[in-house]
Amino acid sequence: MQKKKKLVEYLIEKGLFITAIFSIVIILIIFIFIINEGIPAISEYGFLNFIFGMTWAPSDSQFGVFPMIIGSICVTLLSLLMAVPLSLLCAIFMAEVAPDSVRKVLKPVIETLSGIPSVVYGFFGLIVIVPLIREQFGGTGFSMFTASLILTVMVLPTIISVSQDAIRSVPSEYREASLGLGATNWQTIKNIIFPAALPGIITAIILGMGRAIGETLAVIMVAGNVPLIPGSIFDPLRTLTSNIALEMGYATGIHYSALFTTAIVLFIIIIVLLLVAHYFQKKYSMDAYGGHA
Amino acid sequence: MNRIESKNLQVYFGDNHILKGITTEIPKNTVTALIGPSGCGKSTFLRTLNRMNDLIPNFKKEGEVLLDGDDIYSPRLDVADLRKKVGMVFQKPNPFPKSIFENVAYGLKIHGHDDKEFIAQKVEESLKSAALWNEVEDKLDNSALGLSGGQQQRLCIARTIATNPEVILMDEPCSALDPISTTKIEDLIQKLKKEYTIIIVTHNMQQATRVSKYTSFFLHGEIVESNFTDKIFVEPKEQKTEDYITGRFG
């Protein structure tokens, strides 16, 4: 009996370990595969030429992705610029202000928003937003601004629900202490609850950022996809992910390899962004012994 | 003169009838202890005095609570103003996850003080009154969460007195502390009673006898007996009081 118990314990422990390892192995395999496929283009064209090259013209063997690096970063930042204030206010409203009845309606609605496939967002952008931008601001309507608007709506649910959870998990003792000192609700939210929830809110923003920089289909449908650095927010642009998806179908040889190198660049950008975000997360979380960690 | 009066106070949380007609008076600049078994309503009564119960969604009350003759549940009264006048120290020390200095300065800042010198001086004064200054004067910028439980509770007291309250409510302030920290807080209460009206909820009968002048015994949402502390513990009028203080139930 005792022996059987021990065996079960052993199997469960190892089973959990294997599932945990499994996901790491898969990421590693993908990573190795991408690097392996990207190497021919890097060795032939040069990594620095690749990153800082201004021209993407596969037919002329020109593989500069700099405009797309700028494109990805611009479209992501602009959408976060719009989405973050909006979603934080919404999260604060849901977590601190809204009565239960309102929250019960709002929460599923926002969760549904995140369940809509990206092609639907892209289609909506193509049919509704693109003509609207064209009429209001001129140009073709396919632009950085259009893509950012669509991305804003797409990242809202992520940032709202994760930061809402962060706000709600602030211990109620802090709230009581602040109100007990005669602070108003808004003073308590601004000075106590929001700073205490900040690490969680930064996580929410990172997740939103990841979604924005990785989104491909909806962006392809409304961004215009010209591989040039946009001069204004109403110019078209191409993102790194779009670049891969647009040309994957027909690319061969070094062109094919260059698309994988694009993926490597995207990988590096995401890792850098994660490190920056991690730094801020650390900076704003207070540890128990001696102020800021 | 009586600082706080409650007249036939009834409190409900939803269908639960918690306080069943509390009528009592709490005199100025003294320490009043509220004792009674768990669930008797003493904490609820305490939290009615600074309207902390308002935070509970289905809280309902009848009857009156007067602070210096004014109804604290009057619609014209600003709750934030009331809580500035009636400060509170909680059962579990709950400093903000900020520096020691910022914890004490917080109340001043939210009430519109922005003169740095004034704030620094007030923080020092409050920490001295709370008998914590000597232990923290050279680490005011450290996180308050690095302090021991007893220090944290004294910090919470400093934070409360920084805003110049008239009344301090203490909800079992020593229940999470060790005996030495408890002694320090009790000494502090003795010191503070000259300037403040203090109402303390406690499970510890020795503590009630040590710190308070008056004691009210709560049972099942009613006050069984209120009297001078040395009277109530030596010759209680009610059988139930005697049973409780001699440890026959509770």
Side-chain angles (χ1 to χ4, degrees), chain B residues 88-106:
Chain B
M88 185 159 208
V89 177
F90 297 83
Q91 182 171 2
K92 209 175 121 199
N94 57 353
F96 300 122
K98 295 172 180 284
S99 72
I100 294 169
F101 184 90
E102 285 299 325
N103 261 280
V104 186
Y106 178 73

Side-chain angles (χ1 to χ4, degrees), chain A residues 236-260:
Chain A
L237 56 70
R238 182 186 286 198
T239 65
L240 290 162
T241 51
S242 312
N243 192 40
I244 301 169
L246 284 167
E247 302 186 0
M248 198 45 116
Y250 60 86
T252 51
I254 185 157
H255 182 195
Y256 173 83
S257 174
L259 294 182
F260 278 96

Side-chain angles (χ1 to χ4, degrees), chain B residues 47-49 51 53-54 59 61 65 71-75 77:
Chain B
R47 293 165 69 91
T48 309
L49 304 181
R51 296 187 55 173
N53 286 331
D54 292 19
F59 162 75
K61 77 120 195 104
V65 182
D71 180 7
I72 63 167
Y73 282 85
S74 148
L77 176 131

Side-chain angles (χ1 to χ4, degrees), chain A residues 79-123:
Chain A
S79 58
L80 286 181
L81 204 65
M82 295 188 278
V84 168
L86 205 61
S87 32
L88 291 192
L89 290 177
C90 182
I92 289 173
F93 173 75
M94 281 175 73
E96 290 292 320
V97 185
D100 270 348
S101 51
V102 176
R103 189 179 309 136
K104 270 185 195 137
V105 179
L106 219 48
K107 209 171 153 111
V109 169
I110 285 168
E111 276 158 10
T112 309
L113 213 56
S114 70
I116 298 175
S118 57
V119 66
V120 176
Y121 283 107
F123 197 53

Side-chain angles (χ1 to χ4, degrees), chain B residues 169-199:
Chain B
L169 310 175
M170 298 186 172
D171 190 357
E172 296 182 48
C174 303
S175 65
L177 305 181
D178 62 78
I180 295 172
S181 304
T182 301
T183 312
K184 283 185 180 160
I185 304 264
E186 287 180 5
D187 291 346
L188 180 55
I189 293 172
Q190 291 306 323
K191 222 174 73 188
L192 294 175
K193 73 178 177 197
K194 295 180 192 94
E195 286 175 71
Y196 305 94
T197 303
I198 296 175
I199 306 167

